[in-house]
Amino acid sequence: MSNTNTTQELAPISQTNIHLHKSRDLNRVLYISGVALQQKKSQNLYSMNFAQEIACYLWANYDQELKVEIVSPGLIYIELTPHLLAAFLQHFSSKEVWNEIKIDENQSTSSHKYSSSHQYLSLSKGCLSQKLINSHGSFALQYAHARCCSLIQLAAGEEFINLGVGSASWAIIQPSEIPWLKEEGQLRFVHPAEFCLMSKLIETLDNLDNSFVDQTVKWENIALGLSQSFESFWSNCRIWGEVKINNRELAQARLGLIAITRLVFERVIEEKLGLTAFSEF
């Protein structure tokens, strides 16, 4: 079918919200769409044919960013490529995202995304600790967040990385481009725990930035799952010693993943759990 006809076929769905379901496959970042099945009901189109039209459009326009597959009876599998994942990871580990957060804070009022934590600033550390103890998920996430902070500070102290200043004080500014990819274009990660943590982080960011999905999320469970994923990562994926000496790029990529993990931990703690994220205990 020609590009013009494809555009005409896709036009009716361009004005609607298309829900993408994230796959539970932790070895890759995969989303599944059933939009072709929905269109069959409303326009009497064959699901597989319509899915094919959508896939052709994605192949033609996003070949470097997405791997697209059609699965009967008309599901569309959309997998993020290593190239796109590397760009995503680089953004969330660098100072640009911190500048965006700072702008959001300055432009918002009582409803801004960190407002829920302000009511706790006057609490003593002892009172807050007791509140955390009463919530296992919150405490585990706070502990994991503090662990990330100490690891990042340790790496900066050894001049393995350099951090930003001011509002971007947790952002990695050196190396300016973290070596996420190997020379052959694949992600540098080698252990399942790395992919699991990355997948969990992306899923959580999806929920944080989607108000409709967020209403159905149990953030205590998310907090516990995040902390467990990080503990598995830290137990299996070393940074110091032999890894730092013999595989500097892998060590830096893992530090970049820790920096992103710290950012996501902070957002969940402050935006969704209504607590202040501490850098140490």
Side-chain angles (χ1 to χ4, degrees), residues 27 57 89-90 109 111 114 131 208 211 261 267 273:
N27 295 315
Y57 177 83
L89 293 171
Q90 181 61 34
T109 57
S111 62
Y114 290 117
K131 182 178 180 66
L208 282 166
S211 57
T261 301
R267 287 193 62 184
L273 301 182

PDB file of all heavy atoms in Angstrom, residues 27 57 89-90 109 111 114 131 208 211 261 267 273:
ATOM      1  N   ASN A  27      14.539  -9.331  29.868  1.00  0.00           N
ATOM      2  CA  ASN A  27      15.746  -9.384  29.061  1.00  0.00           C
ATOM      3  C   ASN A  27      15.741  -8.357  27.932  1.00  0.00           C
ATOM      4  O   ASN A  27      16.735  -8.204  27.230  1.00  0.00           O
ATOM      5  CB  ASN A  27      15.937 -10.785  28.470  1.00  0.00           C
ATOM      6  CG  ASN A  27      16.181 -11.827  29.541  1.00  0.00           C
ATOM      7  OD1 ASN A  27      16.971 -11.605  30.462  1.00  0.00           O
ATOM      8  ND2 ASN A  27      15.502 -12.962  29.438  1.00  0.00           N
ATOM      9  N   TYR A  57       4.550   1.511   8.734  1.00  0.00           N
ATOM     10  CA  TYR A  57       4.810   2.922   9.038  1.00  0.00           C
ATOM     11  C   TYR A  57       5.960   3.057  10.033  1.00  0.00           C
ATOM     12  O   TYR A  57       6.858   3.896   9.857  1.00  0.00           O
ATOM     13  CB  TYR A  57       3.540   3.561   9.606  1.00  0.00           C
ATOM     14  CG  TYR A  57       3.727   4.996  10.030  1.00  0.00           C
ATOM     15  CD1 TYR A  57       3.649   6.025   9.095  1.00  0.00           C
ATOM     16  CD2 TYR A  57       3.993   5.315  11.358  1.00  0.00           C
ATOM     17  CE1 TYR A  57       3.830   7.342   9.476  1.00  0.00           C
ATOM     18  CE2 TYR A  57       4.185   6.631  11.748  1.00  0.00           C
ATOM     19  CZ  TYR A  57       4.106   7.639  10.809  1.00  0.00           C
ATOM     20  OH  TYR A  57       4.293   8.947  11.181  1.00  0.00           O
ATOM     21  N   LEU A  89      19.155   6.288  28.472  1.00  0.00           N
ATOM     22  CA  LEU A  89      19.993   6.197  29.660  1.00  0.00           C
ATOM     23  C   LEU A  89      20.907   7.412  29.786  1.00  0.00           C
ATOM     24  O   LEU A  89      21.099   7.942  30.895  1.00  0.00           O
ATOM     25  CB  LEU A  89      20.828   4.912  29.604  1.00  0.00           C
ATOM     26  CG  LEU A  89      20.051   3.596  29.712  1.00  0.00           C
ATOM     27  CD1 LEU A  89      20.967   2.415  29.411  1.00  0.00           C
ATOM     28  CD2 LEU A  89      19.420   3.427  31.088  1.00  0.00           C
ATOM     29  N   GLN A  90      21.445   7.859  28.673  1.00  0.00           N
ATOM     30  CA  GLN A  90      22.329   9.022  28.708  1.00  0.00           C
ATOM     31  C   GLN A  90      21.588  10.256  29.199  1.00  0.00           C
ATOM     32  O   GLN A  90      22.118  11.032  30.001  1.00  0.00           O
ATOM     33  CB  GLN A  90      22.917   9.276  27.319  1.00  0.00           C
ATOM     34  CG  GLN A  90      23.882  10.455  27.252  1.00  0.00           C
ATOM     35  CD  GLN A  90      25.085  10.271  28.155  1.00  0.00           C
ATOM     36  OE1 GLN A  90      25.564   9.151  28.352  1.00  0.00           O
ATOM     37  NE2 GLN A  90      25.566  11.368  28.722  1.00  0.00           N
ATOM     38  N   THR A 109       3.504  25.386  41.586  1.00  0.00           N
ATOM     39  CA  THR A 109       3.072  25.956  42.861  1.00  0.00           C
ATOM     40  C   THR A 109       2.842  24.836  43.843  1.00  0.00           C
ATOM     41  O   THR A 109       3.603  23.899  43.908  1.00  0.00           O
ATOM     42  CB  THR A 109       1.784  26.772  42.642  1.00  0.00           C
ATOM     43  OG1 THR A 109       0.782  25.917  42.063  1.00  0.00           O
ATOM     44  CG2 THR A 109       2.037  27.944  41.705  1.00  0.00           C
ATOM     45  N   SER A 111       0.939  22.463  43.818  1.00  0.00           N
ATOM     46  CA  SER A 111       0.633  21.167  43.221  1.00  0.00           C
ATOM     47  C   SER A 111       1.822  20.554  42.503  1.00  0.00           C
ATOM     48  O   SER A 111       1.673  19.542  41.844  1.00  0.00           O
ATOM     49  CB  SER A 111      -0.514  21.306  42.214  1.00  0.00           C
ATOM     50  OG  SER A 111      -0.128  22.174  41.165  1.00  0.00           O
ATOM     51  N   TYR A 114       6.988  17.819  43.850  1.00  0.00           N
ATOM     52  CA  TYR A 114       7.672  17.559  45.105  1.00  0.00           C
ATOM     53  C   TYR A 114       6.909  18.101  46.306  1.00  0.00           C
ATOM     54  O   TYR A 114       7.384  18.027  47.425  1.00  0.00           O
ATOM     55  CB  TYR A 114       9.073  18.164  45.080  1.00  0.00           C
ATOM     56  CG  TYR A 114      10.003  17.455  44.146  1.00  0.00           C
ATOM     57  CD1 TYR A 114      10.551  18.118  43.051  1.00  0.00           C
ATOM     58  CD2 TYR A 114      10.325  16.117  44.333  1.00  0.00           C
ATOM     59  CE1 TYR A 114      11.403  17.450  42.178  1.00  0.00           C
ATOM     60  CE2 TYR A 114      11.173  15.452  43.463  1.00  0.00           C
ATOM     61  CZ  TYR A 114      11.714  16.127  42.389  1.00  0.00           C
ATOM     62  OH  TYR A 114      12.549  15.479  41.516  1.00  0.00           O
ATOM     63  N   LYS A 131       8.351   6.518  60.992  1.00  0.00           N
ATOM     64  CA  LYS A 131       7.365   6.412  59.916  1.00  0.00           C
ATOM     65  C   LYS A 131       7.831   5.416  58.868  1.00  0.00           C
ATOM     66  O   LYS A 131       7.047   4.623  58.343  1.00  0.00           O
ATOM     67  CB  LYS A 131       7.139   7.786  59.276  1.00  0.00           C
ATOM     68  CG  LYS A 131       6.083   7.797  58.172  1.00  0.00           C
ATOM     69  CD  LYS A 131       5.908   9.200  57.646  1.00  0.00           C
ATOM     70  CE  LYS A 131       4.848   9.222  56.546  1.00  0.00           C
ATOM     71  NZ  LYS A 131       3.513   8.887  57.040  1.00  0.00           N
ATOM     72  N   LEU A 208       5.297   6.948  36.545  1.00  0.00           N
ATOM     73  CA  LEU A 208       5.430   8.277  37.134  1.00  0.00           C
ATOM     74  C   LEU A 208       4.899   9.360  36.211  1.00  0.00           C
ATOM     75  O   LEU A 208       4.319  10.350  36.668  1.00  0.00           O
ATOM     76  CB  LEU A 208       6.901   8.557  37.459  1.00  0.00           C
ATOM     77  CG  LEU A 208       7.467   7.902  38.725  1.00  0.00           C
ATOM     78  CD1 LEU A 208       8.985   7.978  38.718  1.00  0.00           C
ATOM     79  CD2 LEU A 208       6.904   8.556  39.973  1.00  0.00           C
ATOM     80  N   SER A 211      -0.448   9.846  34.198  1.00  0.00           N
ATOM     81  CA  SER A 211      -1.412  10.080  35.269  1.00  0.00           C
ATOM     82  C   SER A 211      -2.526   9.046  35.281  1.00  0.00           C
ATOM     83  O   SER A 211      -3.051   8.686  36.339  1.00  0.00           O
ATOM     84  CB  SER A 211      -2.022  11.480  35.140  1.00  0.00           C
ATOM     85  OG  SER A 211      -2.643  11.641  33.865  1.00  0.00           O
ATOM     86  N   THR A 261      19.110   5.122  38.829  1.00  0.00           N
ATOM     87  CA  THR A 261      18.364   4.452  39.899  1.00  0.00           C
ATOM     88  C   THR A 261      18.123   5.413  41.058  1.00  0.00           C
ATOM     89  O   THR A 261      17.030   5.482  41.605  1.00  0.00           O
ATOM     90  CB  THR A 261      19.131   3.218  40.392  1.00  0.00           C
ATOM     91  OG1 THR A 261      19.342   2.320  39.300  1.00  0.00           O
ATOM     92  CG2 THR A 261      18.358   2.492  41.481  1.00  0.00           C
ATOM     93  N   ARG A 267      12.345  10.210  43.131  1.00  0.00           N
ATOM     94  CA  ARG A 267      11.023  10.609  42.652  1.00  0.00           C
ATOM     95  C   ARG A 267       9.920   9.795  43.324  1.00  0.00           C
ATOM     96  O   ARG A 267       8.885  10.340  43.726  1.00  0.00           O
ATOM     97  CB  ARG A 267      10.945  10.456  41.127  1.00  0.00           C
ATOM     98  CG  ARG A 267      11.722  11.511  40.354  1.00  0.00           C
ATOM     99  CD  ARG A 267      11.350  11.492  38.878  1.00  0.00           C
ATOM    100  NE  ARG A 267       9.936  11.795  38.686  1.00  0.00           N
ATOM    101  CZ  ARG A 267       9.327  11.767  37.503  1.00  0.00           C
ATOM    102  NH1 ARG A 267      10.023  11.410  36.419  1.00  0.00           N
ATOM    103  NH2 ARG A 267       8.043  12.052  37.400  1.00  0.00           N
ATOM    104  N   LEU A 273       5.445   8.624  47.828  1.00  0.00           N
ATOM    105  CA  LEU A 273       5.371   8.171  49.226  1.00  0.00           C
ATOM    106  C   LEU A 273       5.296   9.327  50.204  1.00  0.00           C
ATOM    107  O   LEU A 273       5.088   9.121  51.398  1.00  0.00           O
ATOM    108  CB  LEU A 273       6.573   7.267  49.550  1.00  0.00           C
ATOM    109  CG  LEU A 273       6.722   6.010  48.681  1.00  0.00           C
ATOM    110  CD1 LEU A 273       7.919   5.196  49.157  1.00  0.00           C
ATOM    111  CD2 LEU A 273       5.449   5.178  48.700  1.00  0.00           C
TER     112      LEU A 273
END
